[in-house]
Amino acid sequence: MTGKDLHDIPPNHPRYESLKLRAKIVDAYKTGVLADSGLIAHGRGEAFDYLIGEKTTAGAKRAIETAAAYLLLADYPVISVNGNTAALVPREIVALAGKLNARIEINLFYRTSKRLKAIEKVLKDAGAVDVLGDEDNPLNISGLESPRSRVSRDGVYKADVVLVPLEDGDRAEALVSNGKKVLTVDLNPLSRTAKTSTVTIVDNLVRAVTHLISSVDRLKEMENSQLHNIVNGFDNKKNLDEALRYMKGNLP
Ligand code: PTJ
């Protein structure tokens, strides 16, 4: 049995939105964008999304606003893209990078040159002009073994603020200990990534990135002092605890 084609799903199906995402994910696997483990990661995400009622919670909105403030205050923001992100939200990532004047860098857990090329094509088809991640002269971030430590000298290496959706725990930790502010999107509030990052948005990437774009538009009008107030008023641990309580509250 294969995944449903996007066009086969009737829009009035009660699980239309979820099936649409699955179709995108399966399609990305077939075109070599998504790692096989990306299918499993998506399924895990779906389970947690159920527990938050498949909607952006007040806590997630707070984290999104804080992430937007960090990105606007950044000297050198970078958006790190993996297979799942390229499969689900390529156009939104390109739009967000444009608004922030941020670089886009492909960083893969399951790195192959074929996947890099496939993801680069998806991003360029979505409007990206310049995509980092496949240079001949990469640098390494300390605290990780190659090739996962590999970063672009004009990308993550130079960044002060990095948006890394669906990141792996080790790398989030390494980025933080290299002095970077790490903003992540992870539906699992118990993951090491969630616990280690500077700001964790516990929401589906598909919803979170759209809200993030709106928040950047809104916060762009603010003074830096107001943005600093937003950043300083945020407590990631408290927000994660709230997300867990929210999920528990939805259990029978
Ligand atoms: O493309 P690559 O090679 O970099 O590989 C990417 C994956 C995601 C396969 C790799 O980083 C991985 O194995 O990640 P994990 O450890 O499975 O973690 C993925 C996390 O993302 C899990 O905690 C999921 O709950 C969460 N997740 C999955 N889909 C979504 C999500 N969070 C937000 N939005 C989603 N759509």
Side-chain angles (χ1 to χ4, degrees):
M1 172 125 176
T2 57
K4 272 231 179 258
D5 189 272
L6 198 52
H7 306 289
D8 296 339
I9 307 166
N12 61 353
H13 190 289
R15 302 287 308 147
Y16 178 71
E17 287 304 324
S18 174
L19 291 175
K20 200 171 69 175
L21 296 189
R22 277 195 183 183
K24 279 190 184 184
I25 283 284
V26 170
D27 195 47
Y29 174 66
K30 288 180 187 163
T31 56
V33 165
L34 200 85
D36 47 10
S37 293
L39 296 164
I40 300 168
H42 184 79
R44 187 195 286 167
E46 279 184 344
F48 282 106
D49 207 8
Y50 244 79
L51 292 174
I52 55 168
E54 296 174 311
K55 59 176 197 288
T56 306
T57 63
K61 284 184 185 156
R62 205 178 305 127
I64 289 167
E65 183 175 73
T66 309
Y70 267 112
L71 287 165
L72 288 166
L73 286 169
D75 290 325
Y76 201 83
V78 171
I79 304 178
S80 174
V81 172
N82 66 3
N84 292 59
T85 305
L88 294 175
V89 286
R91 270 188 295 277
E92 292 82 349
I93 290 293
V94 174
L96 181 63
K99 284 175 190 291
L100 295 163
N101 205 11
R103 306 297 302 265
I104 298 177
E105 176 173 337
I106 305 170
N107 277 113
L108 301 181
F109 190 79
Y110 301 103
R111 186 184 171 93
T112 64
S113 137
K114 209 168 150 202
R115 284 190 66 219
L116 270 167
K117 298 263 176 310
I119 294 172
E120 188 174 345
K121 180 171 179 339
V122 167
L123 292 169
K124 291 208 163 150
D125 288 350
V129 181
D130 190 21
V131 177
L132 300 166
D134 198 12
E135 297 77 22
D136 292 330
N137 55 349
L139 292 170
N140 295 306
I141 42 164
S142 56
L144 272 184
E145 282 166 35
S146 284
R148 287 168 50 220
S149 66
R150 191 190 155 114
V151 284
S152 293
R153 59 182 71 228
D154 288 328
V156 169
Y157 186 79
K158 204 165 152 185
D160 54 343
V161 177
V162 197
L163 174 65
V164 277
L166 281 76
E167 183 59 341
D168 94 87
D170 279 359
R171 200 156 50 185
E173 204 169 336
L175 291 173
V176 169
S177 51
N178 276 266
K180 301 182 193 300
K181 302 294 177 200
V182 175
L183 319 172
T184 195
V185 184
D186 191 337
L187 277 159
N188 177 5
L190 295 166
S191 75
R192 272 194 322 115
T193 302
K195 289 181 184 163
T196 315
S197 297
T198 316
V199 178
T200 305
I201 301 166
V202 181
D203 196 15
N204 196 313
L205 176 60
V206 175
R207 295 188 301 268
V209 79
T210 309
H211 282 293
L212 190 51
I213 290 171
S214 316
S215 289
V216 165
D217 283 339
R218 193 166 44 82
L219 268 59
K220 244 182 181 161
E221 309 303 322
M222 288 187 180
E223 301 288 335
N224 275 4
S225 59
Q226 289 174 287
L227 297 177
H228 279 293
N229 283 342
I230 293 174
V231 160
N232 295 334
F234 183 78
D235 181 335
N236 202 46
K237 175 156 184 350
K238 212 166 131 194
N239 222 47
L240 287 175
D241 288 346
E242 187 182 310
L244 265 179
R245 275 199 305 277
Y246 192 92
M247 288 180 181
K248 282 184 193 150
N250 276 344
L251 291 173

